[in-house]
Every structure is written in C-alpha cells, then in structure tokens.
Amino acid sequence: MAESQGGTAGPESVFVNVVLDSLHEGMQVLAPDWRYLYVNEAAASHGRRTPEELLGRTLLECYPGIEQSKVFEVMQRCMEQRAADTVENLFKYEDGTEAWFELRIRPCQEGIVVLSLDVTDRKRLETALRQSHKLRALGEMAVGVAHDLKNLLNPLGLQVELLRRKTKSDARAGEILDQMSGVLKRGTQTIDRLREFARQAPESGTVPVDLNAVTREAVDLCYAKTLKHDKRVRISSQLDGAVMVRANGSELLAAIVNLVFNALDAMPEGGTVTLRTGLTEAGGWVAVEDTGVGMTPEVKLRAFEPFFTTKGEQGTGMGLAMVFAFAARCDGRADLRSSPGEGTTVTLSFPALASAQSVA
C-alpha cells in the first residue's frame, strides 16, 4: 500500500488500489506516528477531504483535537496493544452538520487499518423507530387517562355553574367561582392537548397552507414574549418566496410558536431567534434557529422524548414531543441540530402540494 505515496507501482498494486478506491466502505492505513499511508476515496470523502490532502500527513495535523476524543483512545489502544475494536463515532463538520460512522479498527503490519461506514441514515431510522414506539405506548396510556379525567371535570364544571346561579348576590363567592372555572378550563385544555398528542394516526385535516403566512403570524404572536425577557432578544425572519405545503394550519402555528418560545427560553443572556422557510422538490420547510446555550449530545438525543425536560419544575417535557408527533401526523418530519454554546435549530419539513409546489 505504500505505493499510494509515490514511486512506481506494479500492476497488481495498481489493481488493488483501483478495487479499494471503488469501495463504498472507507479504508485508511495509519503508521505508528499517525501518518496516513493509504486512504481510499470513500474514507477521504467521509471527512470531506481528498486522499491527496491526507497522504503523508498525520491524523493529528488533519483533524486537530482528535487526540481528545474517545475514538482516538480506541485507535491508540489498537496501535499499542494490537487490540481490534469497533466503535460508532459522531463526526461534526466545520459547517455544523453531523454524520455517524461505524469504525472497525484493526492492527496491521504497517500500523492500524480503519474501515469506516456511513451509518447516519441507519441511526436516524433507529432514533425515529424508538421515538415512534415511545409515542405509541404513551398515546395508548394518554387516551385512557384523558377519558377518565374528562369524566371527572365535566360534572365539576356543571356544579360550578349551579353554584354561580345560587350566589349571584355574593361578589366574593363569584370571584372564587371564577377562579375555579379558570382552573377547570385550564385542566380541560391540558386534557385536550394530551388527547391530541395521543392521536398518532395520520392527520386527516391537512389542507394547503401558506407556510410563510403562518410563520409571519407566529412571529407576531411571539413578539409580546420578547418584551418580558430579562435580556435583549429579537425575532427575525427570512422567508423564501411563496411556500405552500400540506398540513393542519392551526397545529402548524402552535408548533412554530412552541419552538420560538423554547428558543427564547434557551437564551438567558439574550440573543436572536431567526425563522426561515424554504422549498425543495420534496416539500416546504420552516426552521427556528436560536443563538442560545445549545444542547449537549445527551440532551439532544432525548430532546423529542415525552416528559424529558431540562427546565426543572418550569417545564413539562411535552413541547418538543408534541411538535414531533404533529409533524409525523402530517407525513412530515422534525430535525434537530444543536451543540453546546452554538445554539439550536429545529426544522419542520412538510409535503408539497400534489398540484403545485408554489403559488404566485
């Protein structure tokens, strides 16, 4: 394999290199000083490099800071102890995007050989499947709980109205009954949200929706919350032409408002929330991006999980879970990108109209 660095390669060596370069699986050979001896096209592309950028240089030169990572620890153990291992590694690119790779690290005569396979799609499918199972189980439980609570609250509401009629002349009693009515109303609304979350069937009420119009309405609704923030915050929008999608308009508005509120809460020192829209061949999308504290990998992995929250008693852990469930019912998807100190972006994607993807 040393012929990859220069010199005259024999026919057999050329044939081997051609075969290895045609593989979808990445292959790289590293010397004990971490210098690249061989890199095929797939392995280089995994790091968004070319083989020429890597050959002859060290791993530490090409990827500064990798010596602090867990994957380097595994590679170093293989290099020193000749112990083979397999590890999954989340690789973050300079533009903030991420990809998962399965790395099979094996000792060889020259040092170590690392075989890499892009498993990003598989990881996304596994995450979506786990989320779907959790939502289905929680939904089945929520239906029963919501039904029982509704049966309890409805009679209480009737009793409050009867008491109101009998105490018309008592102002203080009227105030107490108003408070009770407010509590009952909020309780009923909570039950309705729980039942809505539990409804995992595809959304039958989807209609053509102007994504930009709904986004503008969400910005207007969220403006008042910016005035109550402890620090200076602002909401901006970058809307891409006319974007028509198929969704439930009222639920879409609630989802975007939910995301903006979450974004504002994630900026204790102030910052900017930016709403963007766009259109692809598959459909339209809206992204809510903040400049807040961001999420750790552990939090990001559980962000859409029902009842998981980092807000303590201030949070219910249902906001992002409901957004995820809503997008799924509309045959769409919710994607999350976040890193500590670099903010968070949640993107909702929806199918385009069957008849047209945009309007004048």
Side-chain angles (χ1 to χ4, degrees):
M1 294 182 184
E3 287 83 2
S4 297
Q5 298 181 72
T8 303
E12 292 183 359
S13 178
V14 171
F15 175 75
V16 170
N17 286 347
V18 169
V19 171
L20 293 178
D21 280 337
S22 67
L23 295 177
H24 290 295
E25 187 175 46
M27 179 178 180
Q28 49 191 299
V29 179
L30 294 162
D33 64 353
W34 302 110
R35 197 168 303 279
Y36 283 100
L37 300 179
Y38 174 81
V39 185
N40 72 353
E41 293 287 346
S45 67
H46 288 167
R48 296 182 181 174
R49 306 288 182 90
T50 65
E52 290 73 24
E53 292 179 85
L54 302 175
L55 288 172
R57 301 179 64 195
T58 69
L59 177 70
L60 282 65
E61 291 174 333
C62 297
Y63 299 103
I66 193 173
E67 65 273 18
Q68 306 299 324
S69 67
K70 180 180 179 180
V71 68
F72 183 81
E73 179 182 332
V74 176
M75 294 169 67
Q76 189 171 36
R77 184 166 61 248
C78 181
M79 186 77 78
E80 296 174 353
Q81 302 177 15
R82 318 308 288 165
D85 207 341
T86 299
V87 63
E88 288 187 347
N89 180 52
L90 179 62
F91 191 88
K92 184 175 181 180
Y93 297 101
E94 293 181 356
D95 62 1
T97 59
E98 298 172 338
W100 280 95
F101 295 98
E102 181 182 274
L103 305 178
R104 299 178 182 179
I105 306 166
R106 303 289 186 267
C108 65
Q109 184 176 352
E110 294 87 350
I112 62 171
V113 58
V114 181
L115 304 177
S116 56
L117 184 65
D118 189 335
V119 294
T120 304
D121 290 340
R122 190 193 77 193
K123 295 289 286 188
R124 287 174 177 168
L125 286 173
E126 289 175 352
T127 300
L129 185 61
R130 285 195 300 270
Q131 186 72 9
S132 177
H133 287 165
K134 290 177 181 177
L135 292 178
R136 185 176 295 110
L138 182 61
E140 292 173 356
M141 179 189 72
V143 169
V145 172
H147 179 268
D148 292 342
L149 289 177
K150 199 89 170 185
N151 287 341
L152 291 173
L153 293 185
N154 283 338
L156 286 177
L158 294 175
Q159 295 298 325
V160 168
E161 291 306 316
L162 288 175
L163 287 173
R164 192 188 303 278
R165 294 177 186 178
K166 293 185 177 182
T167 58
K168 287 184 178 180
S169 59
D170 190 332
R172 177 55 183 160
E175 292 177 2
I176 294 174
L177 290 173
D178 286 341
Q179 293 175 0
M180 292 177 64
S181 294
V183 171
L184 287 172
K185 183 178 180 180
R186 287 193 294 274
T188 302
Q189 290 173 341
T190 300
I191 292 173
D192 289 339
R193 286 197 297 270
L194 190 61
R195 294 177 65 183
E196 187 65 26
F197 172 77
R199 180 166 54 87
Q200 295 301 311
E203 179 61 70
S204 59
T206 58
V207 295
V209 175
D210 185 338
L211 189 55
N212 287 343
V214 175
T215 302
R216 292 190 193 96
E217 186 176 356
V219 172
D220 292 339
L221 289 174
C222 295
Y223 176 72
K225 187 172 177 66
T226 65
L227 302 178
K228 299 178 181 179
H229 204 281
D230 293 337
K231 302 291 183 177
R232 185 176 183 276
V233 295
R234 60 186 292 266
I235 302 176
S236 67
S237 58
Q238 299 176 12
L239 310 184
D240 183 18
V243 183
M244 297 296 294
V245 298
R246 185 167 294 281
N248 181 299
S250 60
E251 291 189 13
L252 174 59
L253 176 63
I256 297 175
V257 169
N258 192 319
L259 293 177
V260 175
F261 278 16
N262 274 356
L264 292 172
D265 290 341
M267 300 190 302
E269 300 302 319
T272 301
V273 178
T274 304
L275 285 79
R276 296 185 174 88
T277 62
L279 192 65
T280 67
E281 292 183 359
W285 56 268
V286 56
V288 179
E289 174 184 323
D290 67 62
T291 58
V293 296
M295 301 180 186
T296 64
E298 293 77 18
V299 170
K300 185 171 64 173
L301 190 63
R302 302 185 62 188
F304 290 120
E305 184 177 310
F307 300 121
F308 175 77
T309 180
T310 59
K311 299 179 182 179
E313 295 182 357
Q314 302 298 319
T316 64
M318 290 296 291
L320 286 179
M322 294 182 71
V323 169
F324 181 93
F326 156 66
R329 288 198 305 274
C330 292
D331 201 22
R333 58 183 291 176
D335 295 299
L336 173 68
R337 189 176 77 245
S338 183
S339 296
E342 298 182 13
T344 298
T345 300
V346 179
T347 302
L348 302 180
S349 304
F350 301 95
L353 301 184
S355 57
Q357 291 185 335
S358 62
V359 296

